[in-house]
Structure formats: structure tokens, C-alpha cells
Amino acid sequence: MKKNWQSILTVIMAILLIVCLIQINSLTDRVNQLNTNFTSQINIVRDSINSISRSVNDSLEQQASILSDAVWEYGKIDLEKRTAEVEVTITPKEYDTNTHAYVSAGTQSFPLTLNNGSFVGTLELPMFQETYLDKVRFVEGNDTRTEKLDWYFAPMDEALPSIYADLSFNYSQSTVKDGKCPVNLDGDLNVNIDGANGVEIESIVLKVSDGKNDIMRKDITNEVSSDRDGSMTPEAALSLASGESRYFYYSVNENLTLESNNKYTVYCELIDANGLCYRSELLELNVDDKSASLGDVTDCGSRASVYDSKGNLLYKEQ
């Protein structure tokens, strides 16, 4: 009987221990939940304080500013002149008929004209350069008032597409024999186009150059596939409206015969309806007197360089 009571007591103690553990676990969960809620409330309060602080700072800056409004937008883009117009409208809080206004880009200054209470002007900026307008100046006799602008312009991003191309190359060692080195150019060509202001691609070319001449040039315009296959014709896929993007791919399998002691570069070129050439460096092959090896292409993966119809370089990503 005594042993039975001991067993019963042990069972009761075990049950009580389990109940205590469950309660402790429940209390732990509640404490963790309270901590989470408390942290969440603190973050909400911090966000509210930061929001109030930003609003106060914005209000103080607005009150301290000598401007009531300052806006700009792109105007006419001239591919032949390689320029882009930027239309500027700046409204000061105070002015008179003797006030003259200028916006500045470094040491360069652009005058504005007073029109219905605002100073306006059309700036002609170089398309293939970045321009930073840092301030506006209001001159009244010997007095000058200045306001910071922080306006940044990259007209090329507005006017021309961003094109990126890469080649997933399957390389196998090739050896030189009698001054010649056979190389199988095998891989997948991928081309991504962001249409920006719209673009019409007329041709896509894969080529290999020794730095002086093209030893291979293949027009693959009608052979590429796109992410719009089945939903539009290949011709339509090459015409991108403003803001459209497109992806093209092509399986490369070309047998080349390269000269020893020479360097070769594989390119992809896209020509648009304006005659501009977008060139991407895909691969470099170095051939010595024994074999061919892969070189370093510093521009691989960069935005395509832009050339005019005469081969003059207009833009190269730095």
C-alpha cells in the first residue's frame, strides 16, 4: 500500500510539473508577445517623431527659401545635334522688374526670362554628358540672392535605350597548329533592352574583330528569339514603345580559325532606325604560339557603348 502511495505521489508530481512547464511556456510566449508589441509601439512612436521632425524641417526650409516654386521638364531632343532641351520654371517669392535670374552648372551660367511672375528658360544641354544645376541666382543691382537647386540631368537616359548584352560561353581548350587555332564559339547570347523614350532596332549583329578588321560578322536579326515570341511578330518585337522593355536570346555556335599571337574580341551590335550603333563587348580571346585562352573584358556586363553612323564614339560607361 505504501508503494502504491509513492507511485501515485510520483505521478501527481509529474503531472504538476508538466502543468507548471506548460504555464511557464505560456507565460514566456505572453512576455515575448508583450516585448514585440512594446517594440512595435516604440517604432511607431519613433516614426511619428521622425515624421514630425521632417515636416517641421520642410516647413522651416520652405519658410526660409526665397522660392515659391521651381520645376523642370525635358523638351525637344535633337539626335543630330546631340543635344536635349530642358525647360526651367522658377518662381521667387519676391522680385521686381529689375531682377535678373540665372541658373548655374559649375562655372557655366544660363539666364532666365521673367514671364508672368516666373523666370523661365530653355536650356540646351549635351545629350551624352551629365549636367548638374547646383543653384539659381537673383541679381538686383549690387545685391545677389542664391538658392540651392540640386538638379541632375542625364539626357541620354531619357532619349536612348539602355542595352545590356552578355554571352554565356562554353570554352574548351584549343591548340595552335601551323599558326592557326580552331575555336568553337559556343554559348547563349542574352540581350536586354529598356526602351526609355522608345526605339526601333533595325539589325542585331554578332561579330569577331582582331582590332583592325572583322574576321566574322553575322546578322542574326531574323534568328533571335524574344520574350514576346508567340504574342507578336519578330519585326514588332524589335520596335519598342516608350518605357517598354524587351529580352532577346540567341544560341551561338560558330567555328572560327584564329591566327597565333593575336587578340580577338567578340561583340554584339544593335543598330537603330537613327543609325546609332549600340556595341557590347562579350568576350576576349588571346592566342599565343601554343593555344587560345580567355582574356579579361573590362566592359563585359556594362551598358552598351553608343556610336554614330560614322563610327564615332558618343558614349561609353565609365
Side-chain angles (χ1 to χ4, degrees):
M1 187 70 180
K2 196 172 189 179
K3 290 182 178 180
N4 289 339
W5 276 109
Q6 288 179 345
S7 298
I8 293 171
L9 197 59
T10 301
V11 171
I12 292 173
M13 291 179 65
I15 292 172
L16 290 174
L17 180 60
I18 292 172
V19 170
C20 289
L21 290 174
I22 291 173
Q23 290 180 337
I24 291 172
N25 185 63
S26 177
L27 287 173
T28 301
D29 289 341
R30 289 182 63 185
V31 169
N32 290 336
Q33 185 177 3
L34 288 172
N35 284 334
T36 301
N37 292 338
F38 183 65
T39 302
S40 177
Q41 292 298 322
I42 290 176
N43 290 333
I44 291 173
V45 172
R46 285 177 177 171
D47 289 342
S48 298
I49 293 173
N50 291 334
S51 178
I52 293 172
S53 177
R54 285 192 296 268
S55 297
V56 170
N57 288 335
D58 291 344
S59 178
L60 291 174
E61 289 179 2
Q62 181 63 29
Q63 291 178 17
S65 175
I66 62 176
L67 305 179
S68 60
D69 195 19
V71 295
W72 64 268
E73 63 178 358
Y74 280 112
K76 180 182 177 182
I77 293 174
D78 193 325
L79 291 176
E80 291 186 3
K81 292 174 62 179
R82 303 174 189 173
T83 59
E85 292 182 350
V86 174
E87 299 171 357
V88 173
T89 301
I90 297 178
T91 307
K93 293 179 179 178
E94 297 179 0
Y95 68 93
D96 59 34
T97 55
N98 295 319
T99 303
H100 300 278
Y102 307 85
V103 288
S104 301
T107 58
Q108 191 174 9
S109 187
F110 302 91
L112 304 178
T113 303
L114 182 60
N115 183 19
N116 294 327
S118 297
F119 287 88
V120 299
T122 299
L123 316 183
E124 191 174 78
L125 303 180
M127 180 182 297
F128 296 99
Q129 295 179 23
E130 298 174 351
T131 302
Y132 174 65
L133 291 183
D134 53 353
K135 61 187 175 183
V136 58
R137 294 182 298 116
F138 298 98
V139 180
E140 297 160 352
N142 295 325
D143 297 328
T144 299
R145 294 175 294 148
T146 303
E147 181 83 5
K148 188 176 181 181
L149 288 179
D150 278 340
W151 285 355
Y152 166 81
F153 305 96
M156 193 188 80
D157 293 336
E158 177 74 13
L160 300 179
S162 299
I163 297 178
Y164 295 84
D166 65 82
L167 177 66
S168 301
F169 180 54
N170 301 317
Y171 178 70
S172 58
Q173 187 69 35
S174 302
T175 57
V176 174
K177 184 177 181 180
D178 299 328
K180 306 289 184 181
C181 183
V183 172
N184 177 240
L185 192 61
D186 176 34
D188 295 320
L189 172 64
N190 303 285
V191 181
N192 289 280
I193 305 175
D194 182 351
N197 201 37
V199 64
E200 184 175 344
I201 302 299
E202 292 195 337
S203 65
I204 303 177
V205 174
L206 181 67
K207 74 174 190 177
V208 180
S209 173
D210 62 4
K212 297 179 180 179
N213 301 296
D214 295 341
I215 67 165
M216 188 204 84
R217 185 178 181 86
K218 184 176 182 180
D219 191 325
I220 59 174
T221 310
N222 297 322
E223 299 180 45
V224 297
S225 301
S226 80
D227 55 353
R228 299 300 179 89
D229 282 358
S231 63
M232 60 175 58
T233 65
E235 293 79 10
L238 291 167
S239 181
L240 283 72
S242 179
E244 274 194 315
S245 298
R246 198 82 81 243
Y247 165 69
F248 295 93
Y249 55 94
Y250 173 74
S251 294
V252 180
N253 191 355
E254 301 290 335
N255 292 312
L256 308 174
T257 300
L258 308 181
E259 301 283 344
S260 61
N261 300 311
N262 213 337
K263 182 174 72 173
Y264 299 86
T265 306
V266 183
Y267 297 97
C268 176
E269 292 184 345
L270 284 76
I271 314 297
D272 72 9
N274 295 308
L276 296 178
C277 172
Y278 306 85
R279 179 183 299 166
S280 298
E281 295 185 16
L282 305 176
L283 185 70
E284 184 180 280
L285 291 167
N286 295 324
V287 184
D288 56 24
D289 57 356
K290 295 181 180 179
S291 63
S293 60
L294 294 176
D296 294 327
V297 180
T298 56
D299 294 329
C300 184
S302 299
R303 182 175 179 175
S305 300
V306 183
Y307 295 79
D308 64 17
S309 58
K310 296 179 181 179
N312 298 310
L313 178 64
L314 302 178
Y315 166 82
K316 185 178 181 67
E317 188 171 73
Q318 300 299 318

